[in-house]
Amino acid sequence: MLPKNQRAGHEDDQKSKVTAPPPPPPPPPVGKVSAARAAVKQFLESELGARETRITKIAPVEHGALGWSAEAEILVPNLEIKTLGLPLTQEILEQEYYLVELDIDLIVRSYEYLSPSSH
């Protein structure tokens, strides 16, 4: 039989189980404006190939009941340079402006190219 001090230590080992750390807290809820900004940015990057996107104006249409309207400034590859197929050491980008309208579910309802003179 083991001495009492060894038995007590052995029992403590059995009782102390390794527990997993608690799960991280859920991320804070995304606000409506932030969600609309993210939807506009994702659309411009995926559909128009924007390399950089800057939302210059965003506002709810009829207080958000009908959706969102956003104006954005984007940098996209220059298609004329791309068509020439010249070997370049870096990509040539040009600045364009767009108006994007989202419905209440943050799905793009329409988008429109804005002329640089309007900015």
Side-chain angles (χ1 to χ4, degrees):
M1 187 165 178
L2 294 171
K4 188 175 181 178
N5 62 355
Q6 288 180 348
R7 282 185 289 181
H10 182 66
E11 289 172 3
D12 288 342
D13 289 344
Q14 289 178 349
K15 289 180 184 176
S16 62
K17 295 181 180 177
V18 177
T19 58
V30 177
K32 292 179 182 179
V33 174
S34 295
R37 290 175 63 86
V40 169
K41 183 176 180 180
Q42 191 274 331
F43 169 76
L44 293 170
E45 288 174 355
S46 66
E47 297 299 320
L48 301 178
R51 299 293 192 261
E52 300 248 349
T53 304
R54 192 177 114 213
I55 307 294
T56 57
K57 179 181 176 183
I58 189 164
V61 178
E62 303 242 351
H63 304 291
L66 300 176
W68 296 86
S69 175
E71 290 182 15
E73 172 185 312
I74 64 173
L75 294 177
V76 293
N78 183 302
L79 292 179
E80 294 169 352
I81 300 289
K82 232 178 166 179
T83 336
L84 292 173
L86 299 173
L88 301 172
T89 57
Q90 68 186 72
E91 191 172 45
I92 307 297
L93 301 174
E94 63 184 350
Q95 192 174 39
E96 293 182 352
Y97 299 94
Y98 282 89
L99 172 67
V100 180
E101 291 188 1
L102 305 171
D103 65 13
I104 191 69
D105 296 321
L106 302 180
I107 297 172
V108 175
R109 183 183 316 155
S110 68
Y111 71 98
E112 173 185 356
Y113 173 79
L114 299 175
S115 65
S117 63
S118 65
H119 283 75

